[in-house]
Structure formats: structure tokens, C-alpha cells
Amino acid sequence: MIASPPERRYQQTRFQERVAQARARLEGWAGNPWRRLSLLLIVLLISFSIGGAVGSLTGTLAKLDPVGALICVAAMELAIRARGPLLRRSGDGLVLQLIDMARIGLLYGLLLDGFKLL
């Protein structure tokens, strides 16, 4: 029987600690319903703008249509796959709502740009 090597635990830096605390601080900040709503709206509008920009840029440069579509589908798929663990996690669902708003905004931005081309 081969013994497993002892697990090395490295010392966490201040940066790593701050990154780990960022989600908890954001959820604490967004405890106010108006702040939460404004944060969700900002994410929705930014992703809507990104969706429109991606559609416009790939439409202008006709050779990048497949690449733009691949990037958008990959982003949507990653967002959908990230929902599973977030749904099983108990607690505040702010991160899940942010991912959903980003996904909805990107999709609506792409659809609106597609309807402009009709």
C-alpha cells in the first residue's frame, strides 16, 4: 500500500483573503433591496450592451460570425453550468441572480441585434 504524501498547506496572502471575502462583502452590501435591484439592473444593462456590441462587431466583420457565436454559446453554457452548484448552496442567492441577469442581458442584446439585421 502506497502512503499518500502529506498535504501541503500554503500560507494565504492578503490578496487571497480579500478575494475570498469579496463575495460575503458584496452580499452584505446588497442586503438593502434597492442596492440589490440597482446592482442587478447594472449587470443586466452591461451584459445587454456587450451582447449588442458582439452582434454589431461580428456583423461588421463577416468572417468572425462563427467565432462570435462560439464565444456567446460558450459563455451561456458556462453560466448555465454554474447554476447547479449555486442552486444547491444555501444562503443568499445574489451570485445566482447576477449570473442570470448577465445571461438574460447577453441573450436579449444578441436577439435585438439579430432583429436589426432582418
Side-chain angles (χ1 to χ4, degrees):
M1 182 175 353
I2 299 174
S4 62
E7 184 178 325
R8 293 183 182 165
R9 188 162 191 111
Y10 296 104
Q11 180 179 358
Q12 285 193 341
T13 62
R14 254 187 277 161
F15 176 73
Q16 289 173 330
E17 291 173 0
R18 299 281 169 120
V19 169
Q21 294 171 354
R23 186 171 139 221
R25 294 176 87 190
L26 182 65
E27 287 176 356
W29 179 83
N32 184 339
W34 286 106
R35 286 183 183 168
R36 178 182 289 261
L37 185 63
S38 66
L39 183 63
L40 292 174
L41 188 62
I42 288 169
V43 168
L44 178 74
L45 292 175
I46 288 172
S47 62
F48 180 79
S49 299
I50 290 171
V54 167
S56 296
L57 288 174
T58 58
T60 304
L61 307 170
K63 294 182 180 182
L64 289 180
D65 284 340
V67 175
L70 176 68
I71 290 170
C72 291
V73 168
M76 296 274 190
E77 188 65 29
L78 287 174
I80 290 170
R81 290 184 186 261
R83 288 188 93 239
L86 292 172
L87 282 173
R88 287 189 287 275
R89 185 179 303 163
S90 63
D92 195 10
L94 179 65
V95 177
L96 180 64
Q97 290 174 347
L98 289 173
I99 288 174
D100 286 341
M101 284 294 151
R103 209 178 66 199
I104 290 168
L106 182 65
L107 181 64
Y108 281 165
L110 289 170
L111 284 175
L112 181 68
D113 206 61
F115 283 133
K116 285 184 211 175
L117 297 176
L118 290 178

